[in-house]
């Protein structure tokens, strides 16, 4: 009940009023039945804007950190995600990917919409990064369509590290559903699952117009963090 109150009365109308999102391809979202909405991830605002314009309830696999943040902001964020019915996923450890897949298949098994960001993390520079294969495994195993989605302009209104978004118009584009029934039974074949994932990412790329990077975003972020730490260490030694 709180989900619908939040979406249709409290938060949804406010977001539509402030950001006046241009919505393209909303007819591609099925009115009923299970499906995956796979999108790029540019901003914390994505978590609010996409669900606000989709008529149906959509459940996201959200990183567990959103439920355990410190301070008032952390508690408010956790309360929002819990109230919105989002599922926390622990991304640490070797079994994290399988846990996320199990949770996602549970949502799809109930005939609901599942939202997922195949990149696995927010883009730190506005580019589109290589997709992780979990989305493909779920699509093939559950036998459901994948609707590609592109958020355009959300990086500019709220890049990583910026607490509050700028009030500026954004665009949300949905593409035609992707059918992967030809891969039925091949969810354990690495080459097939990689092909499905790449097809999904190409569809997102075609909608977003981003520059594509054939590497995982988390790896690039980790490298940049190591460079930053090295510079800070050198700077401290010089001082």
């Amino acid at each position: 009940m709180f989900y619908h109150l939040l979406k249709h009365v409290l938060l949804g109308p406010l977001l539509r009023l402030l950001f006046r999102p241009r919505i393209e391809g909303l007819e591609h979202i099925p009115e009923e039945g299970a499906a995956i909405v796979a999108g790029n991830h540019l901003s914390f605002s994505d978590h609010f804007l996409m669900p606000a314009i989709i008529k149906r309830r959509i459940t996201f696999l959200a990183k567990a950190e959103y439920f355990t943040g410190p301070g008032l902001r952390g508690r408010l964020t956790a309360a929002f995600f819990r109230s919105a019915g989002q599922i926390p996923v622990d991304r640490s450890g070797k079994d994290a990917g399988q846990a996320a897949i199990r949770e996602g298949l549970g949502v799809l098994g109930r005939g609901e919409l599942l939202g997922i960001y195949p990149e696995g993390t927010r883009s730190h520079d506005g580019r589109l990064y290589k997709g992780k294969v979990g989305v493909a495994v779920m699509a093939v195993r559950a036998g459901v369509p994948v609707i590609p989605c592109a958020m355009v302009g959300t990086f500019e209104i709220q890049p990583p590290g910026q607490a509050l978004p700028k009030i500026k118009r954004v665009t949300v584009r949905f593409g035609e559903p992707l059918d992967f029934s030809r891969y039925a039974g091949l969810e354990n074949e690495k080459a097939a699952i990689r092909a499905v994932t790449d097809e999904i990412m190409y569809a997102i790329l075609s909608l977003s117009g981003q520059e594509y990077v054939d590497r995982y975003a988390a790896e690039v972020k980790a490298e940049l963090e190591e460079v930053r730490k090295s510079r800070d260490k050198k700077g401290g030694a010089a001082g």
Side-chain angles (χ1 to χ4, degrees):
M1 181 179 292
F2 185 78
Y3 176 91
H4 293 287
L5 179 65
L6 193 68
K7 179 172 179 174
H8 299 294
V9 179
L10 302 176
L11 188 59
L14 178 63
L15 291 174
R16 289 191 292 271
L17 176 65
L18 292 177
F19 297 101
R20 299 175 296 117
R22 300 181 185 90
I23 306 168
E24 301 175 11
L26 190 59
E27 69 275 8
H28 296 311
I29 302 293
E31 295 184 0
E32 59 183 18
I36 297 172
V37 180
N40 59 343
H41 194 13
L42 295 167
S43 168
F44 187 71
S45 298
D46 298 339
H47 291 292
F48 307 95
L49 288 168
M50 188 211 291
I53 65 174
I54 294 178
K55 295 178 181 178
R56 292 179 59 187
R57 178 185 180 122
I58 181 168
T59 299
F60 277 86
L61 300 180
K63 63 181 182 180
E65 292 90 331
Y66 285 146
F67 296 81
T68 58
L72 177 60
R73 183 182 178 187
R75 291 195 295 273
L76 290 174
T77 300
F80 169 81
F81 279 98
R82 288 194 186 95
S83 300
Q86 308 308 285
I87 300 174
V89 175
D90 184 356
R91 301 185 300 175
S92 63
K94 63 180 181 179
D95 297 326
Q98 292 303 315
I101 289 171
R102 286 195 299 272
E103 294 287 359
L105 288 173
V107 174
L108 296 171
R110 296 192 294 271
E112 300 174 5
L113 285 181
L114 175 68
I116 190 169
Y117 301 117
E119 293 168 277
T121 185
R122 276 179 287 174
S123 173
H124 62 282
D125 57 9
R127 298 187 292 177
L128 183 70
Y129 284 83
K130 186 176 182 179
K132 295 188 175 183
V133 300
V135 61
V137 172
M138 287 186 282
V140 173
R141 189 173 295 175
V144 300
V146 177
I147 296 93
C149 173
M151 308 297 293
V152 181
T154 55
F155 184 83
E156 288 73 20
I157 68 170
Q158 192 181 19
Q162 182 172 309
L164 296 175
K166 300 176 184 176
I167 305 303
K168 187 176 179 181
R169 198 169 193 186
V170 299
T171 299
V172 185
R173 294 192 183 108
F174 299 98
E176 295 184 5
L178 304 174
D179 178 9
F180 297 109
S181 58
R182 62 191 184 279
Y183 290 97
L186 298 178
E187 63 268 24
N188 295 319
E189 299 292 331
K190 290 184 179 180
I193 292 305
R194 184 73 255 168
V196 171
T197 305
D198 290 344
E199 185 174 337
I200 293 169
M201 299 310 294
Y202 181 77
I204 295 172
L205 179 67
S206 298
L207 292 170
S208 70
Q210 293 168 267
E211 178 183 346
Y212 180 73
V213 181
D214 193 26
R215 295 187 63 197
Y216 293 116
E219 293 178 355
V220 176
K221 284 184 177 181
E223 290 178 1
L224 292 173
E225 181 62 17
E226 286 300 317
V227 171
R228 185 193 66 78
K229 289 180 179 178
S230 178
R231 286 176 179 172
D232 289 348
K233 189 175 181 180
K234 290 179 180 178

